[in-house]
Amino acid sequence: MSARSEGASPAVANSDDRACTPRRAARVLLVDAAGRVLLFEGFDPARPGHRYWFTPGGGLDPLESPAAGAARELAEETGLRVDPAELGEPVWADTTEFSFDGTWYRQEQDFFLLRVASWRVDTNGFNDIERRSIADHRWWVPDELAASGDRFYPPELPDLLTRLTRSGTAGPDEASC
């Protein structure tokens, strides 16, 4: 697993003077045979005009392992069901702070890489807040994402995907601290 890095979500401002709700999460870098990553376009219901792209995943249930949470979230958000063991070990981790629907979170999260030949996304498993705050999904080539001018999270995503595609995994010193 990589070292945790401090990153700010595109939906985030500095929270030095805010009380944060701690949260653990797991996310999936779902990459197809063409080297594209699946991202969702979402927004904070409190700021619907502030849109950004992000990976499948979300908060962990109490006592849930990161791999089990990532597999559960992947099934709920994309319809793709995998055994948590198929995700292996996290390839990257970070800590981010963000506001969502009026609550400020400090989220520690692990990212898993899953390669698929292709996948047709099924969002029927979205919960209510996902239905209200996710506008679209798209498969992105890392270079296209970097050049898009769109907000995306994590900000390191294009470089991270390039490193993972080139080497197969990210080493422990590949993320900033």
Side-chain angles (χ1 to χ4, degrees), residues 3-119:
R4 291 209 178 272
S5 66
E6 294 294 323
S9 163
V12 178
N14 190 346
S15 70
D16 291 339
D17 58 347
R18 292 184 179 96
C20 292
T21 299
R23 185 174 193 239
R24 289 278 302 134
R27 311 206 67 81
V28 179
L29 304 170
L30 187 61
V31 178
D32 71 6
R36 302 175 307 166
V37 64
L38 176 66
L39 297 178
F40 289 106
E41 182 186 30
F43 54 91
D44 181 340
R47 298 185 303 155
H50 186 84
R51 294 183 180 248
Y52 50 92
W53 295 91
F54 61 97
T55 61
L60 298 179
D61 291 335
L63 304 178
E64 186 175 42
S65 74
R72 176 184 51 76
E73 288 284 341
L74 190 64
E76 291 171 0
E77 295 176 354
T78 71
L80 179 58
R81 299 190 188 303
V82 298
D83 185 284
E86 291 178 59
L87 295 172
E89 293 297 317
V91 294
W92 196 64
D94 79 343
T95 300
T96 187
E97 293 183 6
F98 60 95
S99 176
F100 187 81
D101 210 14
T103 301
W104 195 264
Y105 295 95
R106 179 176 178 85
Q107 178 166 286
E108 292 183 6
Q109 54 194 4
D110 294 309
F111 288 78
F112 294 86
L113 174 65
L114 182 64
R115 296 175 192 270
V116 294
S118 65
W119 184 252

